[in-house]
PDB file of all heavy atoms in Angstrom:
ATOM      1  N   LYS A   1     119.489 -31.589 153.179  1.00 96.00           N
ATOM      2  CA  LYS A   1     120.334 -31.558 154.366  1.00 96.00           C
ATOM      3  C   LYS A   1     121.425 -30.524 154.131  1.00 96.00           C
ATOM      4  O   LYS A   1     121.945 -30.398 153.020  1.00 96.00           O
ATOM      5  CB  LYS A   1     120.910 -32.948 154.646  1.00 96.00           C
ATOM      6  CG  LYS A   1     119.811 -33.922 155.061  1.00 96.00           C
ATOM      7  CD  LYS A   1     120.346 -35.225 155.587  1.00 96.00           C
ATOM      8  CE  LYS A   1     119.180 -36.119 155.990  1.00 96.00           C
ATOM      9  NZ  LYS A   1     119.605 -37.309 156.734  1.00 96.00           N
ATOM     10  N   TYR A   2     121.718 -29.770 155.185  1.00 97.00           N
ATOM     11  CA  TYR A   2     122.632 -28.637 155.038  1.00 97.00           C
ATOM     12  C   TYR A   2     124.078 -29.115 154.941  1.00 97.00           C
ATOM     13  O   TYR A   2     124.560 -29.877 155.778  1.00 97.00           O
ATOM     14  CB  TYR A   2     122.470 -27.681 156.214  1.00 97.00           C
ATOM     15  CG  TYR A   2     123.212 -26.385 156.023  1.00 97.00           C
ATOM     16  CD1 TYR A   2     122.682 -25.394 155.219  1.00 97.00           C
ATOM     17  CD2 TYR A   2     124.436 -26.160 156.628  1.00 97.00           C
ATOM     18  CE1 TYR A   2     123.353 -24.198 155.020  1.00 97.00           C
ATOM     19  CE2 TYR A   2     125.124 -24.973 156.452  1.00 97.00           C
ATOM     20  CZ  TYR A   2     124.574 -23.997 155.640  1.00 97.00           C
ATOM     21  OH  TYR A   2     125.244 -22.818 155.448  1.00 97.00           O
ATOM     22  N   GLY A   3     124.756 -28.658 153.903  1.00 96.00           N
ATOM     23  CA  GLY A   3     126.148 -29.028 153.692  1.00 96.00           C
ATOM     24  C   GLY A   3     126.555 -28.655 152.284  1.00 96.00           C
ATOM     25  O   GLY A   3     125.791 -28.038 151.552  1.00 96.00           O
ATOM     26  N   ALA A   4     127.754 -29.045 151.899  1.00 95.00           N
ATOM     27  CA  ALA A   4     128.263 -28.624 150.597  1.00 95.00           C
ATOM     28  C   ALA A   4     128.679 -29.782 149.700  1.00 95.00           C
ATOM     29  O   ALA A   4     129.083 -29.563 148.569  1.00 95.00           O
ATOM     30  CB  ALA A   4     129.447 -27.680 150.781  1.00 95.00           C
ATOM     31  N   GLY A   5     128.574 -31.015 150.180  1.00 95.00           N
ATOM     32  CA  GLY A   5     129.109 -32.128 149.411  1.00 95.00           C
ATOM     33  C   GLY A   5     128.101 -33.205 149.097  1.00 95.00           C
ATOM     34  O   GLY A   5     126.921 -33.105 149.414  1.00 95.00           O
ATOM     35  N   ASP A   6     128.607 -34.247 148.454  1.00 96.00           N
ATOM     36  CA  ASP A   6     127.828 -35.445 148.170  1.00 96.00           C
ATOM     37  C   ASP A   6     128.360 -36.542 149.083  1.00 96.00           C
ATOM     38  O   ASP A   6     129.571 -36.659 149.276  1.00 96.00           O
ATOM     39  CB  ASP A   6     127.991 -35.864 146.707  1.00 96.00           C
ATOM     40  CG  ASP A   6     127.579 -34.752 145.747  1.00 96.00           C
ATOM     41  OD1 ASP A   6     126.732 -33.921 146.124  1.00 96.00           O
ATOM     42  OD2 ASP A   6     128.106 -34.721 144.626  1.00 96.00           O
ATOM     43  N   ARG A   7     127.475 -37.343 149.626  1.00 94.00           N
ATOM     44  CA  ARG A   7     127.932 -38.370 150.559  1.00 94.00           C
ATOM     45  C   ARG A   7     127.007 -39.572 150.524  1.00 94.00           C
ATOM     46  O   ARG A   7     125.876 -39.497 150.045  1.00 94.00           O
ATOM     47  CB  ARG A   7     128.017 -37.809 151.977  1.00 94.00           C
ATOM     48  CG  ARG A   7     126.711 -37.317 152.517  1.00 94.00           C
ATOM     49  CD  ARG A   7     126.883 -36.447 153.763  1.00 94.00           C
ATOM     50  NE  ARG A   7     125.644 -35.769 154.070  1.00 94.00           N
ATOM     51  CZ  ARG A   7     124.693 -36.278 154.847  1.00 94.00           C
ATOM     52  NH1 ARG A   7     124.838 -37.457 155.416  1.00 94.00           N
ATOM     53  NH2 ARG A   7     123.584 -35.617 155.063  1.00 94.00           N
ATOM     54  N   TYR A   8     127.549 -40.664 151.018  1.00 92.00           N
ATOM     55  CA  TYR A   8     126.813 -41.913 151.121  1.00 92.00           C
ATOM     56  C   TYR A   8     126.725 -42.244 152.603  1.00 92.00           C
ATOM     57  O   TYR A   8     127.736 -42.316 153.289  1.00 92.00           O
ATOM     58  CB  TYR A   8     127.555 -43.011 150.353  1.00 92.00           C
ATOM     59  CG  TYR A   8     126.784 -44.280 150.203  1.00 92.00           C
ATOM     60  CD1 TYR A   8     125.760 -44.386 149.259  1.00 92.00           C
ATOM     61  CD2 TYR A   8     127.057 -45.378 151.005  1.00 92.00           C
ATOM     62  CE1 TYR A   8     125.043 -45.559 149.123  1.00 92.00           C
ATOM     63  CE2 TYR A   8     126.338 -46.557 150.877  1.00 92.00           C
ATOM     64  CZ  TYR A   8     125.331 -46.646 149.930  1.00 92.00           C
ATOM     65  OH  TYR A   8     124.620 -47.805 149.804  1.00 92.00           O
ATOM     66  N   LYS A   9     125.495 -42.399 153.102  1.00 88.00           N
ATOM     67  CA  LYS A   9     125.317 -42.653 154.529  1.00 88.00           C
ATOM     68  C   LYS A   9     124.133 -43.581 154.741  1.00 88.00           C
ATOM     69  O   LYS A   9     123.059 -43.368 154.158  1.00 88.00           O
ATOM     70  CB  LYS A   9     125.090 -41.335 155.279  1.00 88.00           C
ATOM     71  CG  LYS A   9     124.935 -41.505 156.778  1.00 88.00           C
ATOM     72  CD  LYS A   9     124.659 -40.183 157.466  1.00 88.00           C
ATOM     73  CE  LYS A   9     124.456 -40.400 158.960  1.00 88.00           C
ATOM     74  NZ  LYS A   9     124.011 -39.196 159.647  1.00 88.00           N
ATOM     75  N   ASP A  10     124.320 -44.583 155.580  1.00 82.00           N
ATOM     76  CA  ASP A  10     123.236 -45.497 155.958  1.00 82.00           C
ATOM     77  C   ASP A  10     122.516 -46.080 154.738  1.00 82.00           C
ATOM     78  O   ASP A  10     121.286 -46.177 154.723  1.00 82.00           O
ATOM     79  CB  ASP A  10     122.218 -44.785 156.857  1.00 82.00           C
ATOM     80  CG  ASP A  10     122.843 -44.293 158.153  1.00 82.00           C
ATOM     81  OD1 ASP A  10     123.829 -44.910 158.607  1.00 82.00           O
ATOM     82  OD2 ASP A  10     122.346 -43.287 158.709  1.00 82.00           O
ATOM     83  N   GLY A  11     123.285 -46.430 153.708  1.00 86.00           N
ATOM     84  CA  GLY A  11     122.697 -47.067 152.537  1.00 86.00           C
ATOM     85  C   GLY A  11     122.056 -46.130 151.540  1.00 86.00           C
ATOM     86  O   GLY A  11     121.389 -46.575 150.605  1.00 86.00           O
ATOM     87  N   ARG A  12     122.238 -44.815 151.727  1.00 93.00           N
ATOM     88  CA  ARG A  12     121.615 -43.840 150.823  1.00 93.00           C
ATOM     89  C   ARG A  12     122.635 -42.810 150.348  1.00 93.00           C
ATOM     90  O   ARG A  12     123.534 -42.437 151.090  1.00 93.00           O
ATOM     91  CB  ARG A  12     120.463 -43.112 151.535  1.00 93.00           C
ATOM     92  CG  ARG A  12     119.293 -44.008 151.860  1.00 93.00           C
ATOM     93  CD  ARG A  12     118.266 -43.285 152.698  1.00 93.00           C
ATOM     94  NE  ARG A  12     118.762 -43.093 154.060  1.00 93.00           N
ATOM     95  CZ  ARG A  12     118.148 -42.391 154.994  1.00 93.00           C
ATOM     96  NH1 ARG A  12     117.010 -41.771 154.712  1.00 93.00           N
ATOM     97  NH2 ARG A  12     118.655 -42.279 156.203  1.00 93.00           N
ATOM     98  N   GLN A  13     122.420 -42.325 149.133  1.00 94.00           N
ATOM     99  CA  GLN A  13     123.234 -41.255 148.564  1.00 94.00           C
ATOM    100  C   GLN A  13     122.552 -39.914 148.853  1.00 94.00           C
ATOM    101  O   GLN A  13     121.350 -39.778 148.650  1.00 94.00           O
ATOM    102  CB  GLN A  13     123.371 -41.450 147.046  1.00 94.00           C
ATOM    103  CG  GLN A  13     124.179 -40.365 146.348  1.00 94.00           C
ATOM    104  CD  GLN A  13     125.647 -40.367 146.754  1.00 94.00           C
ATOM    105  OE1 GLN A  13     126.249 -41.414 146.882  1.00 94.00           O
ATOM    106  NE2 GLN A  13     126.205 -39.188 146.953  1.00 94.00           N
ATOM    107  N   PHE A  14     123.334 -38.934 149.335  1.00 95.00           N
ATOM    108  CA  PHE A  14     122.792 -37.613 149.633  1.00 95.00           C
ATOM    109  C   PHE A  14     123.534 -36.532 148.861  1.00 95.00           C
ATOM    110  O   PHE A  14     124.766 -36.565 148.770  1.00 95.00           O
ATOM    111  CB  PHE A  14     122.909 -37.298 151.134  1.00 95.00           C
ATOM    112  CG  PHE A  14     122.000 -38.113 151.997  1.00 95.00           C
ATOM    113  CD1 PHE A  14     122.458 -39.276 152.611  1.00 95.00           C
ATOM    114  CD2 PHE A  14     120.684 -37.734 152.200  1.00 95.00           C
ATOM    115  CE1 PHE A  14     121.629 -40.040 153.413  1.00 95.00           C
ATOM    116  CE2 PHE A  14     119.844 -38.497 153.003  1.00 95.00           C
ATOM    117  CZ  PHE A  14     120.312 -39.650 153.610  1.00 95.00           C
ATOM    118  N   THR A  15     122.768 -35.600 148.344  1.00 97.00           N
ATOM    119  CA  THR A  15     123.307 -34.375 147.768  1.00 97.00           C
ATOM    120  C   THR A  15     122.954 -33.255 148.743  1.00 97.00           C
ATOM    121  O   THR A  15     121.795 -32.850 148.837  1.00 97.00           O
ATOM    122  CB  THR A  15     122.693 -34.091 146.379  1.00 97.00           C
ATOM    123  OG1 THR A  15     123.033 -35.170 145.501  1.00 97.00           O
ATOM    124  CG2 THR A  15     123.199 -32.784 145.809  1.00 97.00           C
ATOM    125  N   ASP A  16     123.940 -32.802 149.511  1.00 98.00           N
ATOM    126  CA  ASP A  16     123.707 -31.718 150.467  1.00 98.00           C
ATOM    127  C   ASP A  16     123.832 -30.377 149.747  1.00 98.00           C
ATOM    128  O   ASP A  16     124.515 -30.264 148.721  1.00 98.00           O
ATOM    129  CB  ASP A  16     124.719 -31.790 151.607  1.00 98.00           C
ATOM    130  CG  ASP A  16     124.592 -33.071 152.427  1.00 98.00           C
ATOM    131  OD1 ASP A  16     123.528 -33.712 152.380  1.00 98.00           O
ATOM    132  OD2 ASP A  16     125.562 -33.422 153.124  1.00 98.00           O
ATOM    133  N   MET A  17     123.179 -29.364 150.297  1.00 98.00           N
ATOM    134  CA  MET A  17     123.224 -28.032 149.682  1.00 98.00           C
ATOM    135  C   MET A  17     123.416 -26.970 150.758  1.00 98.00           C
ATOM    136  O   MET A  17     122.931 -27.105 151.875  1.00 98.00           O
ATOM    137  CB  MET A  17     121.917 -27.745 148.930  1.00 98.00           C
ATOM    138  CG  MET A  17     121.663 -28.637 147.729  1.00 98.00           C
ATOM    139  SD  MET A  17     122.674 -28.206 146.289  1.00 98.00           S
ATOM    140  CE  MET A  17     121.721 -26.819 145.659  1.00 98.00           C
ATOM    141  N   ASP A  18     124.112 -25.889 150.380  1.00 98.00           N
ATOM    142  CA  ASP A  18     124.196 -24.707 151.229  1.00 98.00           C
ATOM    143  C   ASP A  18     123.654 -23.513 150.437  1.00 98.00           C
ATOM    144  O   ASP A  18     123.233 -23.648 149.288  1.00 98.00           O
ATOM    145  CB  ASP A  18     125.618 -24.478 151.744  1.00 98.00           C
ATOM    146  CG  ASP A  18     126.629 -24.213 150.640  1.00 98.00           C
ATOM    147  OD1 ASP A  18     126.235 -23.829 149.507  1.00 98.00           O
ATOM    148  OD2 ASP A  18     127.838 -24.377 150.903  1.00 98.00           O
ATOM    149  N   GLU A  19     123.686 -22.342 151.058  1.00 97.00           N
ATOM    150  CA  GLU A  19     123.070 -21.167 150.436  1.00 97.00           C
ATOM    151  C   GLU A  19     123.718 -20.794 149.111  1.00 97.00           C
ATOM    152  O   GLU A  19     123.024 -20.463 148.140  1.00 97.00           O
ATOM    153  CB  GLU A  19     123.132 -19.961 151.393  1.00 97.00           C
ATOM    154  CG  GLU A  19     122.337 -20.117 152.663  1.00 97.00           C
ATOM    155  CD  GLU A  19     123.144 -20.699 153.818  1.00 97.00           C
ATOM    156  OE1 GLU A  19     124.198 -21.320 153.573  1.00 97.00           O
ATOM    157  OE2 GLU A  19     122.707 -20.536 154.971  1.00 97.00           O
ATOM    158  N   SER A  20     125.045 -20.823 149.050  1.00 97.00           N
ATOM    159  CA  SER A  20     125.710 -20.401 147.815  1.00 97.00           C
ATOM    160  C   SER A  20     125.451 -21.393 146.681  1.00 97.00           C
ATOM    161  O   SER A  20     125.279 -20.996 145.523  1.00 97.00           O
ATOM    162  CB  SER A  20     127.217 -20.229 148.040  1.00 97.00           C
ATOM    163  OG  SER A  20     127.814 -21.461 148.383  1.00 97.00           O
ATOM    164  N   GLN A  21     125.376 -22.678 147.000  1.00 97.00           N
ATOM    165  CA  GLN A  21     125.062 -23.669 145.973  1.00 97.00           C
ATOM    166  C   GLN A  21     123.631 -23.498 145.463  1.00 97.00           C
ATOM    167  O   GLN A  21     123.367 -23.634 144.271  1.00 97.00           O
ATOM    168  CB  GLN A  21     125.262 -25.080 146.523  1.00 97.00           C
ATOM    169  CG  GLN A  21     126.722 -25.428 146.743  1.00 97.00           C
ATOM    170  CD  GLN A  21     126.907 -26.753 147.456  1.00 97.00           C
ATOM    171  OE1 GLN A  21     126.035 -27.198 148.197  1.00 97.00           O
ATOM    172  NE2 GLN A  21     128.052 -27.383 147.232  1.00 97.00           N
ATOM    173  N   THR A  22     122.727 -23.178 146.376  1.00 97.00           N
ATOM    174  CA  THR A  22     121.347 -22.923 145.970  1.00 97.00           C
ATOM    175  C   THR A  22     121.275 -21.717 145.042  1.00 97.00           C
ATOM    176  O   THR A  22     120.600 -21.757 144.009  1.00 97.00           O
ATOM    177  CB  THR A  22     120.455 -22.677 147.202  1.00 97.00           C
ATOM    178  OG1 THR A  22     120.515 -23.817 148.052  1.00 97.00           O
ATOM    179  CG2 THR A  22     119.023 -22.420 146.798  1.00 97.00           C
ATOM    180  N   GLN A  23     121.976 -20.653 145.416  1.00 96.00           N
ATOM    181  CA  GLN A  23     121.988 -19.452 144.569  1.00 96.00           C
ATOM    182  C   GLN A  23     122.507 -19.785 143.177  1.00 96.00           C
ATOM    183  O   GLN A  23     121.924 -19.360 142.169  1.00 96.00           O
ATOM    184  CB  GLN A  23     122.865 -18.366 145.212  1.00 96.00           C
ATOM    185  CG  GLN A  23     122.333 -17.803 146.503  1.00 96.00           C
ATOM    186  CD  GLN A  23     121.193 -16.816 146.291  1.00 96.00           C
ATOM    187  OE1 GLN A  23     120.890 -16.417 145.186  1.00 96.00           O
ATOM    188  NE2 GLN A  23     120.544 -16.433 147.383  1.00 96.00           N
ATOM    189  N   SER A  24     123.590 -20.537 143.099  1.00 97.00           N
ATOM    190  CA  SER A  24     124.167 -20.902 141.799  1.00 97.00           C
ATOM    191  C   SER A  24     123.189 -21.737 140.981  1.00 97.00           C
ATOM    192  O   SER A  24     123.063 -21.545 139.767  1.00 97.00           O
ATOM    193  CB  SER A  24     125.465 -21.690 141.990  1.00 97.00           C
ATOM    194  OG  SER A  24     126.433 -20.904 142.622  1.00 97.00           O
ATOM    195  N   LEU A  25     122.496 -22.655 141.645  1.00 98.00           N
ATOM    196  CA  LEU A  25     121.524 -23.499 140.948  1.00 98.00           C
ATOM    197  C   LEU A  25     120.368 -22.670 140.405  1.00 98.00           C
ATOM    198  O   LEU A  25     120.001 -22.788 139.229  1.00 98.00           O
ATOM    199  CB  LEU A  25     121.007 -24.579 141.902  1.00 98.00           C
ATOM    200  CG  LEU A  25     119.899 -25.492 141.380  1.00 98.00           C
ATOM    201  CD1 LEU A  25     120.364 -26.308 140.183  1.00 98.00           C
ATOM    202  CD2 LEU A  25     119.392 -26.408 142.499  1.00 98.00           C
ATOM    203  N   LEU A  26     119.787 -21.834 141.251  1.00 98.00           N
ATOM    204  CA  LEU A  26     118.617 -21.064 140.833  1.00 98.00           C
ATOM    205  C   LEU A  26     118.960 -20.030 139.769  1.00 98.00           C
ATOM    206  O   LEU A  26     118.118 -19.705 138.921  1.00 98.00           O
ATOM    207  CB  LEU A  26     117.970 -20.382 142.045  1.00 98.00           C
ATOM    208  CG  LEU A  26     117.448 -21.313 143.147  1.00 98.00           C
ATOM    209  CD1 LEU A  26     116.733 -20.512 144.227  1.00 98.00           C
ATOM    210  CD2 LEU A  26     116.521 -22.395 142.597  1.00 98.00           C
ATOM    211  N   LYS A  27     120.185 -19.529 139.775  1.00 97.00           N
ATOM    212  CA  LYS A  27     120.594 -18.525 138.783  1.00 97.00           C
ATOM    213  C   LYS A  27     120.704 -19.083 137.372  1.00 97.00           C
ATOM    214  O   LYS A  27     120.813 -18.334 136.410  1.00 97.00           O
ATOM    215  CB  LYS A  27     121.931 -17.894 139.193  1.00 97.00           C
ATOM    216  CG  LYS A  27     121.792 -16.863 140.290  1.00 97.00           C
ATOM    217  CD  LYS A  27     123.127 -16.255 140.648  1.00 97.00           C
ATOM    218  CE  LYS A  27     122.964 -15.249 141.778  1.00 97.00           C
ATOM    219  NZ  LYS A  27     124.259 -14.726 142.247  1.00 97.00           N
ATOM    220  N   LYS A  28     120.652 -20.402 137.253  1.00 97.00           N
ATOM    221  CA  LYS A  28     120.672 -21.019 135.929  1.00 97.00           C
ATOM    222  C   LYS A  28     119.360 -20.776 135.185  1.00 97.00           C
ATOM    223  O   LYS A  28     119.256 -21.031 133.990  1.00 97.00           O
ATOM    224  CB  LYS A  28     120.922 -22.530 136.036  1.00 97.00           C
ATOM    225  CG  LYS A  28     122.294 -22.908 136.571  1.00 97.00           C
ATOM    226  CD  LYS A  28     122.443 -24.416 136.676  1.00 97.00           C
ATOM    227  CE  LYS A  28     123.743 -24.815 137.343  1.00 97.00           C
ATOM    228  NZ  LYS A  28     124.936 -24.459 136.588  1.00 97.00           N
ATOM    229  N   PHE A  29     118.348 -20.286 135.905  1.00 98.00           N
ATOM    230  CA  PHE A  29     117.015 -20.094 135.334  1.00 98.00           C
ATOM    231  C   PHE A  29     116.624 -18.624 135.422  1.00 98.00           C
ATOM    232  O   PHE A  29     116.776 -18.011 136.473  1.00 98.00           O
ATOM    233  CB  PHE A  29     115.988 -20.951 136.081  1.00 98.00           C
ATOM    234  CG  PHE A  29     116.302 -22.422 136.036  1.00 98.00           C
ATOM    235  CD1 PHE A  29     117.107 -22.996 137.016  1.00 98.00           C
ATOM    236  CD2 PHE A  29     115.821 -23.215 135.018  1.00 98.00           C
ATOM    237  CE1 PHE A  29     117.407 -24.353 136.982  1.00 98.00           C
ATOM    238  CE2 PHE A  29     116.125 -24.569 134.969  1.00 98.00           C
ATOM    239  CZ  PHE A  29     116.922 -25.140 135.943  1.00 98.00           C
ATOM    240  N   ASP A  30     116.095 -18.084 134.328  1.00 97.00           N
ATOM    241  CA  ASP A  30     115.694 -16.670 134.355  1.00 97.00           C
ATOM    242  C   ASP A  30     114.232 -16.495 134.762  1.00 97.00           C
ATOM    243  O   ASP A  30     113.735 -15.373 134.820  1.00 97.00           O
ATOM    244  CB  ASP A  30     115.958 -15.999 133.001  1.00 97.00           C
ATOM    245  CG  ASP A  30     115.265 -16.695 131.843  1.00 97.00           C
ATOM    246  OD1 ASP A  30     114.429 -17.590 132.078  1.00 97.00           O
ATOM    247  OD2 ASP A  30     115.567 -16.338 130.679  1.00 97.00           O
ATOM    248  N   ASN A  31     113.542 -17.618 135.055  1.00 98.00           N
ATOM    249  CA  ASN A  31     112.132 -17.512 135.458  1.00 98.00           C
ATOM    250  C   ASN A  31     111.902 -18.007 136.888  1.00 98.00           C
ATOM    251  O   ASN A  31     110.813 -18.421 137.237  1.00 98.00           O
ATOM    252  CB  ASN A  31     111.235 -18.269 134.480  1.00 98.00           C
ATOM    253  CG  ASN A  31     111.558 -19.764 134.395  1.00 98.00           C
ATOM    254  OD1 ASN A  31     112.656 -20.182 134.742  1.00 98.00           O
ATOM    255  ND2 ASN A  31     110.604 -20.546 133.921  1.00 98.00           N
ATOM    256  N   ILE A  32     112.955 -17.945 137.705  1.00 98.00           N
ATOM    257  CA  ILE A  32     112.834 -18.309 139.119  1.00 98.00           C
ATOM    258  C   ILE A  32     113.054 -17.073 139.990  1.00 98.00           C
ATOM    259  O   ILE A  32     114.036 -16.348 139.812  1.00 98.00           O
ATOM    260  CB  ILE A  32     113.852 -19.399 139.514  1.00 98.00           C
ATOM    261  CG1 ILE A  32     113.407 -20.777 138.996  1.00 98.00           C
ATOM    262  CG2 ILE A  32     114.027 -19.460 141.026  1.00 98.00           C
ATOM    263  CD1 ILE A  32     114.348 -21.916 139.362  1.00 98.00           C
ATOM    264  N   LEU A  33     112.132 -16.854 140.907  1.00 98.00           N
ATOM    265  CA  LEU A  33     112.288 -15.806 141.917  1.00 98.00           C
ATOM    266  C   LEU A  33     112.401 -16.490 143.275  1.00 98.00           C
ATOM    267  O   LEU A  33     111.457 -17.156 143.722  1.00 98.00           O
ATOM    268  CB  LEU A  33     111.085 -14.860 141.904  1.00 98.00           C
ATOM    269  CG  LEU A  33     111.063 -13.798 143.005  1.00 98.00           C
ATOM    270  CD1 LEU A  33     112.244 -12.834 142.861  1.00 98.00           C
ATOM    271  CD2 LEU A  33     109.747 -13.043 143.014  1.00 98.00           C
ATOM    272  N   LEU A  34     113.552 -16.353 143.921  1.00 98.00           N
ATOM    273  CA  LEU A  34     113.731 -16.915 145.257  1.00 98.00           C
ATOM    274  C   LEU A  34     112.926 -16.080 146.243  1.00 98.00           C
ATOM    275  O   LEU A  34     113.130 -14.878 146.376  1.00 98.00           O
ATOM    276  CB  LEU A  34     115.215 -16.906 145.637  1.00 98.00           C
ATOM    277  CG  LEU A  34     115.550 -17.417 147.043  1.00 98.00           C
ATOM    278  CD1 LEU A  34     115.140 -18.866 147.229  1.00 98.00           C
ATOM    279  CD2 LEU A  34     117.037 -17.231 147.334  1.00 98.00           C
ATOM    280  N   LEU A  35     112.006 -16.711 146.957  1.00 98.00           N
ATOM    281  CA  LEU A  35     111.157 -16.016 147.916  1.00 98.00           C
ATOM    282  C   LEU A  35     111.694 -16.116 149.336  1.00 98.00           C
ATOM    283  O   LEU A  35     111.701 -15.134 150.066  1.00 98.00           O
ATOM    284  CB  LEU A  35     109.731 -16.585 147.865  1.00 98.00           C
ATOM    285  CG  LEU A  35     108.994 -16.431 146.530  1.00 98.00           C
ATOM    286  CD1 LEU A  35     107.664 -17.165 146.575  1.00 98.00           C
ATOM    287  CD2 LEU A  35     108.782 -14.958 146.205  1.00 98.00           C
ATOM    288  N   GLN A  36     112.123 -17.313 149.725  1.00 97.00           N
ATOM    289  CA  GLN A  36     112.651 -17.505 151.074  1.00 97.00           C
ATOM    290  C   GLN A  36     113.681 -18.631 151.066  1.00 97.00           C
ATOM    291  O   GLN A  36     113.580 -19.574 150.279  1.00 97.00           O
ATOM    292  CB  GLN A  36     111.532 -17.890 152.056  1.00 97.00           C
ATOM    293  CG  GLN A  36     110.572 -16.763 152.381  1.00 97.00           C
ATOM    294  CD  GLN A  36     109.594 -17.163 153.474  1.00 97.00           C
ATOM    295  OE1 GLN A  36     108.389 -17.178 153.275  1.00 97.00           O
ATOM    296  NE2 GLN A  36     110.111 -17.490 154.645  1.00 97.00           N
ATOM    297  N   GLN A  37     114.646 -18.493 151.973  1.00 97.00           N
ATOM    298  CA  GLN A  37     115.643 -19.540 152.183  1.00 97.00           C
ATOM    299  C   GLN A  37     116.047 -19.463 153.655  1.00 97.00           C
ATOM    300  O   GLN A  37     116.421 -18.402 154.136  1.00 97.00           O
ATOM    301  CB  GLN A  37     116.846 -19.288 151.267  1.00 97.00           C
ATOM    302  CG  GLN A  37     117.916 -20.336 151.357  1.00 97.00           C
ATOM    303  CD  GLN A  37     119.028 -20.106 150.318  1.00 97.00           C
ATOM    304  OE1 GLN A  37     119.320 -20.982 149.546  1.00 97.00           O
ATOM    305  NE2 GLN A  37     119.629 -18.942 150.312  1.00 97.00           N
TER     306      GLN A  37
END
């Protein structure tokens, strides 16, 4: 789900992500090539 934070909604925990967070996550790996976002 698009967003930047962690939240609790309707009995579930969600980790939301945006483009910059995705970039930071994927950059932790030297064997990942981002194809589409």
Side-chain angles (χ1 to χ4, degrees):
K1 292 190 179 190
Y2 189 79
D6 302 333
R7 61 195 168 89
Y8 189 77
K9 182 182 178 188
D10 299 332
R12 293 173 288 174
Q13 179 66 41
F14 290 96
T15 298
D16 297 340
M17 295 284 280
D18 63 20
E19 295 92 341
S20 64
Q21 289 172 334
T22 301
Q23 293 283 351
S24 297
L25 175 63
L26 299 185
K27 282 181 181 175
K28 294 179 186 295
F29 301 89
D30 57 10
N31 60 339
I32 284 181
L33 174 64
L34 178 61
L35 298 174
Q36 289 187 241
Q37 182 174 235

